[in-house]
DNA sequence: AAACTATTGATTGCATACAATCCGTCAAGT
DNA sequence: ACTTGACGGATTGTATGCAATCAATAGTTT
């Protein structure tokens, strides 16, 4: 973060993207807050052009919504939005788990098992290692998707996992939930190792849907208190469906 | 098209996007062809800035691949890419069909039936109405996704349907295939109207996977001869997976 | 002749200046 | 008092100029 040296290999657009995305994921920008290009540009120490590029990308990934001439606002998530995302994840990742069970070789299973094992200590040192645990969890799911061998499903599922509200939700996990989650992972490794597609599918579906339950249980005030004043708690519904 | 009047409500970026996308979908740009910002800007009568924006969006939607400092090339589709897309579509849209069967009301079914019916004459006047048929087909699938009520799945499936190679593939349909496709649609309407989730799922899965079979049957020379010289048929594999 | 290096041309990436648009405010009219 | 209209500030959208980077070519060396 203190590395503002000029020898930055990444493009300015990439820096802007990471900067804004992290600020959203970490909750520094409140849901519903309007992001002006100028301010973001100043913060990331680039001009407005790469910031615009970053914002378009973030919009396509679901982090912000932007309307012509009105700019970008941090996207809020209604109950239904969250349910839709988890439902889609459950559909895709359970199918992927089945494919993984079919395709996995010995090395794949070995790797998965190692990853699952590595998560256990992270789960115990609960309160502060949320980020590390979340990262490890993402890597585990990513590995299963990779083994499944469908790039489209991999992209979609990973994008969903990266949406900010997921990371926040891990903070709400009770130790009991974490234990069940770890158990799920072990079961997944076993099922995939045994080549039992149906079992892998079912476990993955349950794994994700139960996570959805926990998250939704945290209630509508899932907005994390960020490092800044939180300019007036926004109404729970920023984008209402136009009834269509 | 002749409307280059200055009273164009759309933004320049939107015009650039449509311009480039249409040129790709229609095959005017060959697979593997390199697209330079300057040329595209001139063609769409805008500056390079909105063209860049359009290219990023097209990349996120899978029409082009772009690498830093190297620009954009029209994306090619390997056998596996196509299989992945159809597999994912089958997974999502079959699930959506099931949801639609659960959620549809009388008006929804009415609308679907009308759309299915309207496609029949388009199918008969086969050779030239490919575009109209393709549009109607897209609308039919889109309506089912809308009824299903999961925005994420809707977005994903529609994006996949819009990928160029699909449109091209319709040109390859034999009348026999079209008849089966129409029959599938009628069956879908019936199943959804009856609230039979399993049936709707199964029919949709078969509908999409059989379309995949037909498409793949057209072989690797699916690259349509465009209106321009086709600068040397590119090798079938432009983007090879880095083996990971 | 082959391989490696330097240079040139073209293209992308970025910054900045300018134009178009939107939103809030205030004034005037009904 | 309420609506309507216009003005002003701020923000987004677009164009253009310049710097950074890459690819290809020519030239040099082994």
């Amino acid at each position: 973060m203190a590395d503002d040296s000029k020898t930055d290999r990444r493009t300015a657009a990439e820096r802007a993207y990471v900067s804004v995305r992290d600020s959203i994921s970490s909750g520094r920008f409140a849901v519903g807050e309007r992001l002006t290009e100028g301010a973001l540009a100043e913060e990331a120490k680039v001009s407005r052009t790469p910031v615009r590029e970053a914002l378009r990308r973030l919009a396509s990934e679901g982090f912000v919504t932007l309307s012509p001439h009105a700019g970008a606002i941090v996207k809020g998530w209604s109950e239904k939005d969250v349910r839709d995302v988890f439902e889609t994840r459950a559909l895709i990742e359970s199918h992927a788990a089945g494919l993984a069970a079919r395709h996995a070789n010995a090395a794949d299973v070995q790797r998965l098992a190692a990853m699952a094992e590595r998560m256990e200590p992270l789960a115990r040192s609960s309160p502060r290692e949320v980020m590390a645990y979340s990262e490890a969890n993402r890597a585990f799911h990513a590995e299963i998707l990779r083994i499944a061998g469908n790039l489209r499903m991999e992209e979609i599922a990973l994008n969903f996992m990266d949406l900010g509200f997921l990371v926040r939700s891990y903070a709400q996990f009770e130790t009991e939930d974490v234990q069940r989650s770890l158990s799920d992972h072990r079961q997944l490794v076993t099922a995939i190792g045994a080549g039992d597609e149906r079992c892998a599918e079912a476990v993955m579906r349950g794994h994700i849907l139960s996570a959805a339950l926990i998250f939704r249980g945290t209630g509508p005030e899932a907005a994390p208190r960020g490092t800044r004043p939180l300019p007036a708690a926004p109404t729970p519904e920023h984008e209402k469906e136009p009834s269509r």
Side-chain angles (χ1 to χ4, degrees), chain A:
Chain A
M1 197 177 287
D3 183 12
D4 54 0
S5 69
K6 49 200 64 175
T7 62
D8 195 337
R9 285 293 178 287
R10 299 175 308 176
T11 66
E14 179 75 11
R15 271 176 295 166
Y17 170 77
V18 172
S19 167
V20 178
R21 194 177 73 113
D22 285 354
S23 292
I24 294 176
S25 293
S26 70
R28 267 194 55 224
F29 295 150
V31 167
E33 183 173 345
R34 173 147 180 230
L35 305 179
T36 65
E37 297 173 356
L40 298 176
E42 191 175 356
E43 183 152 351
K45 304 229 188 91
V46 296
S47 83
R48 274 180 52 215
T49 306
V51 168
R52 283 179 64 81
E53 191 172 315
L55 284 178
R56 305 305 160 117
R57 185 172 161 197
L58 288 166
S60 84
E61 290 170 351
F63 287 94
V64 302
T65 59
L66 46 86
S67 36
H69 298 287
I73 68 174
V74 179
K75 188 163 188 175
W77 298 92
S78 69
E79 288 276 330
K80 180 173 181 313
D81 287 331
V82 175
R83 198 172 54 229
D84 281 0
V85 167
F86 274 106
E87 215 176 275
T88 307
R89 266 194 68 195
L91 180 69
I92 290 181
E93 291 200 52
S94 65
H95 189 77
L99 290 174
R102 180 195 293 253
H103 295 141
N105 58 36
D108 292 330
V109 177
Q110 188 87 23
R111 213 173 310 123
L112 269 183
M115 298 176 85
E117 222 170 296
R118 229 172 291 138
M119 289 184 68
E120 314 240 351
L122 291 175
R124 253 177 282 282
S125 66
S126 54
R128 286 200 57 270
E129 306 295 349
V130 183
M131 216 58 190
Y133 179 80
S134 171
E135 276 296 330
N137 183 61
R138 182 192 190 279
F140 181 81
H141 283 257
E143 180 65 13
I144 291 178
L145 287 161
R146 191 193 63 80
I147 296 171
N150 186 316
L151 267 177
R152 301 293 148 177
M153 296 188 189
E154 184 178 344
E155 283 173 15
I156 296 167
L158 288 181
N159 177 228
F160 281 170
M161 292 191 70
D162 289 337
L163 291 177
F165 65 86
L166 276 179
V167 175
R168 295 179 216 158
S169 77
Y170 283 115
Q172 312 286 351
F173 270 26
E174 302 292 332
T175 50
E176 180 187 355
D177 302 324
V178 176
Q179 287 310 316
R180 198 216 135 136
S181 187
L182 290 173
S183 165
D184 285 346
H185 285 191
R186 282 191 296 264
Q187 254 190 297
L188 273 169
V189 175
T190 304
I192 291 174
D196 190 334
E197 302 180 31
R198 291 294 169 79
C199 178
E201 281 181 26
V203 172
M204 181 62 93
R205 169 168 278 116
H207 178 59
I208 292 176
L209 291 183
S210 69
L213 277 181
I214 293 166
F215 176 74
R216 294 182 59 206
T218 63
E221 60 92 25
R225 50 242 177 269
T227 60
R228 53 172 56 182
L230 249 240
T235 68
E237 293 282 349
H238 289 287
E239 313 100 2
K240 42 190 54 178
E241 316 227 1
S243 84
R244 321 183 51 152

